[in-house]
Amino acid sequence: MDSVRPTPAPTKSKLAKTFHRVIHGKKSSKPFSNNGFCLLIPQEKLRCCESQHFDKEEIEECKEHSKNKAVMEAFVAKLFATVSSVKAAYAELQLAQFPYNSEAIQVADQAVVNELKALSELKHSYLKKQIDSSPPHVTLMLAEIQEQQSVMKTYEITMKKMQGEIESKGHNISSLQNELQETIQNNKSLERKLNASGSFSILDNVKFSDVNPKDFIMVLHYAMRSIRNFVKFLIKEMESANWDIDAATNSIQNGVTFHKSNHRAFAFESFVCREIFSGFNEPAFSVQNDDSFVSGGTNRRSFFFEQFKKLKSVSVAHFLKQNPSSLFGKFLKAKYLHLVHPKMEFSFSGNLNQRKLVNSGEFPETEFFKVFSEMGRRVWLLHCLAFSFDQQVSIFQVRKNCRFSEVYMESVTDEIFSAAGGEFKVAFTVVPGFNVGKTVIQSQVYLSPITPPAKR
């Protein structure tokens, strides 16, 4: 029997071949540089290789692979740095155009061209496999510095643009604020003149011979401005007297959910409108039992139009001093005593002096009564105009929880339509509507959405 001969040792150990396949994979192709600087393999790895009996060829191949990898990493870093430089140069070009600066545009344009050339050179170098022969670690470091500088430059340019926009918007805001203040001052000046003289030029266009619904609508808007002015004054006085506005609102319109807190003013406006327009359909406005002072037909129309002309351009305070027992004076007295509760007056002024003066037939000269009397004058003018028509004029209120109808109603705020879909119901009437002959002047209402029944 032949003896078994030992297998001769291979030229490469099995461990070395496995290590070579895992680390290197395929053999490297043509190197990127024949004379470039390469990063040396750490001595620990070389000693490891030597201990595993790697031959010199494998060690050199390992060095070559590491060198090519380092060169490629440096090249990619340089590529990204150049792209960042292009972006920074283009951002600078945009900045130079707003505002237009021809010299800065030329400089920035040339910078963009230079960076694009550098990018093109990198492309050709890669295709020809003639990548920069600088030490890779130095190239990598310089590329990172270049990229950071470009990014910082881009941020600085962006900050300049944003700062310019902020300054521009600041100037616009300042200009608009000045215009707003001028408008407010002009409005206050006009309002003082109106309150002082009682005159209003558009009322001069109302003629007895051709009174029509358009005249009524114009005077209604005229009256509503004074009503809203009184409501604002009333709420201001309540806040100064530390009233609980929510409780006061709930006492007027109980159980109503307001979409915004400032919508509470509509509840006070509804209260004032309800009280000041009460009795509007009666010739004497329900403030005098005997209405024999006017007769039917044309004489009554003429009487009310004369009242309209007499009060359309006078000072309320002056008129009341001269005519304290006039029908308008009686109307103002009755409405004040009915609308302004004694507790309200006492909380505002600390006494009931105004009430005593009004009750005795005199009229105080306080700011509160001045605003109230101007509101009363404009409502009285609307009433006189209504009875100057040769067709019937009547007022109407919309019942609570009625479905919204665009024929007879309009919403005091359009926000409800955008906030909710579907159908709506009337939470309360803010401003009553009017029928002038066959013409309907819509009532202004505060709406709430109709909640569909829950599914079982």
Side-chain angles (χ1 to χ4, degrees), residues 331-383:
F331 161 77
L332 207 60
K333 172 184 174 181
K335 290 298 180 183
Y336 182 87
L337 296 176
H338 187 66
L339 195 152
V340 182
H341 195 277
K343 291 183 178 180
M344 177 188 290
E345 182 179 324
F346 187 84
S347 68
F348 291 169
S349 58
N351 55 61
L352 298 175
N353 294 339
Q354 286 188 124
R355 197 173 197 82
K356 291 176 183 177
L357 283 174
V358 173
N359 208 21
S360 64
E362 299 182 35
F363 300 97
E365 297 181 357
T366 61
E367 186 66 22
F368 182 86
F369 189 81
K370 186 185 296 184
V371 177
F372 176 85
S373 61
E374 177 59 22
M375 174 184 66
R377 183 185 74 87
R378 297 190 185 192
V379 172
W380 181 255
L381 285 174
L382 184 68
H383 173 261

Side-chain angles (χ1 to χ4, degrees), residues 184-415:
I184 292 173
Q185 293 301 323
N186 290 335
N187 288 342
K188 287 182 178 179
S189 177
L190 290 172
E191 191 173 355
R192 283 194 296 269
K193 290 178 181 179
L194 287 172
N195 292 335
S197 63
S199 62
F200 196 74
S201 58
I202 65 170
L203 298 185
D204 295 334
N205 297 325
V206 180
K207 306 298 181 184
F208 177 70
S209 58
D210 56 357
V211 287
N212 56 67
K214 290 183 179 179
D215 293 329
F216 187 87
I217 293 172
M218 178 188 66
V219 180
L220 173 61
H221 290 168
Y222 177 55
M224 286 309 305
R225 282 196 293 271
S226 67
I227 289 175
R228 292 187 176 113
N229 188 39
F230 175 73
V231 170
K232 290 179 182 178
F233 192 90
L234 188 66
I235 294 174
K236 184 179 178 181
E237 290 291 307
M238 288 179 176
E239 291 173 343
S240 299
N242 296 320
W243 277 47
D244 187 339
I245 303 298
D246 288 328
T249 304
N250 195 51
S251 67
I252 299 171
Q253 300 295 343
N254 186 25
V256 175
T257 301
F258 293 94
H259 314 304
K260 290 186 177 181
S261 60
N262 60 352
H263 288 181
R264 296 176 301 181
F266 292 126
F268 295 101
E269 187 176 334
S270 71
F271 167 75
V272 173
C273 284
R274 185 174 68 242
E275 298 302 326
I276 201 71
F277 283 113
S278 177
F280 185 89
N281 290 336
E282 302 175 23
F285 223 134
S286 71
V287 298
Q288 183 169 313
N289 295 328
D290 184 13
D291 60 355
S292 60
F293 59 93
V294 292
S295 59
T298 306
N299 291 336
R300 189 181 78 168
R301 289 182 58 209
S302 299
F303 171 83
F304 278 109
F305 196 77
E306 287 299 318
Q307 290 285 309
F308 176 84
K309 290 195 298 183
K310 187 183 296 184
L311 275 165
K312 73 177 181 178
S313 58
V314 301
S315 166
V316 178
H318 178 74
F319 181 85
L320 292 175
K321 284 181 180 180
Q322 298 295 323
N323 306 278
S325 299
S326 64
L327 190 60
F328 170 64
K330 292 177 180 179
F331 161 77
L332 207 60
K333 172 184 174 181
K335 290 298 180 183
Y336 182 87
L337 296 176
H338 187 66
L339 195 152
V340 182
H341 195 277
K343 291 183 178 180
M344 177 188 290
E345 182 179 324
F346 187 84
S347 68
F348 291 169
S349 58
N351 55 61
L352 298 175
N353 294 339
Q354 286 188 124
R355 197 173 197 82
K356 291 176 183 177
L357 283 174
V358 173
N359 208 21
S360 64
E362 299 182 35
F363 300 97
E365 297 181 357
T366 61
E367 186 66 22
F368 182 86
F369 189 81
K370 186 185 296 184
V371 177
F372 176 85
S373 61
E374 177 59 22
M375 174 184 66
R377 183 185 74 87
R378 297 190 185 192
V379 172
W380 181 255
L381 285 174
L382 184 68
H383 173 261
C384 290
L385 184 65
F387 281 87
S388 300
F389 280 78
D390 59 355
Q391 50 191 327
Q392 185 178 3
V393 179
S394 60
I395 192 171
F396 67 88
Q397 293 269 350
V398 179
R399 292 194 307 272
K400 185 176 181 178
N401 294 328
C402 284
R403 287 182 179 270
F404 175 69
S405 168
E406 293 184 353
V407 177
Y408 297 99
M409 314 168 204
E410 64 174 339
S411 176
V412 290
T413 171
D414 293 332
E415 296 171 1

Side-chain angles (χ1 to χ4, degrees), residues 42-59:
Q43 294 299 320
E44 293 80 0
K45 286 189 176 182
L46 288 177
R47 284 195 295 268
C48 177
C49 292
E50 292 173 356
S51 65
Q52 296 297 331
H53 307 290
F54 287 168
D55 58 20
K56 186 177 181 181
E57 180 183 350
E58 288 180 321
I59 295 173

Side-chain angles (χ1 to χ4, degrees), residues 10-21 52 54 58:
T11 55
K12 288 188 179 179
S13 69
K14 187 175 182 181
L15 178 62
K17 288 181 179 181
T18 304
F19 185 85
H20 175 72
R21 283 196 302 270
Q52 296 297 331
F54 287 168
E58 288 180 321

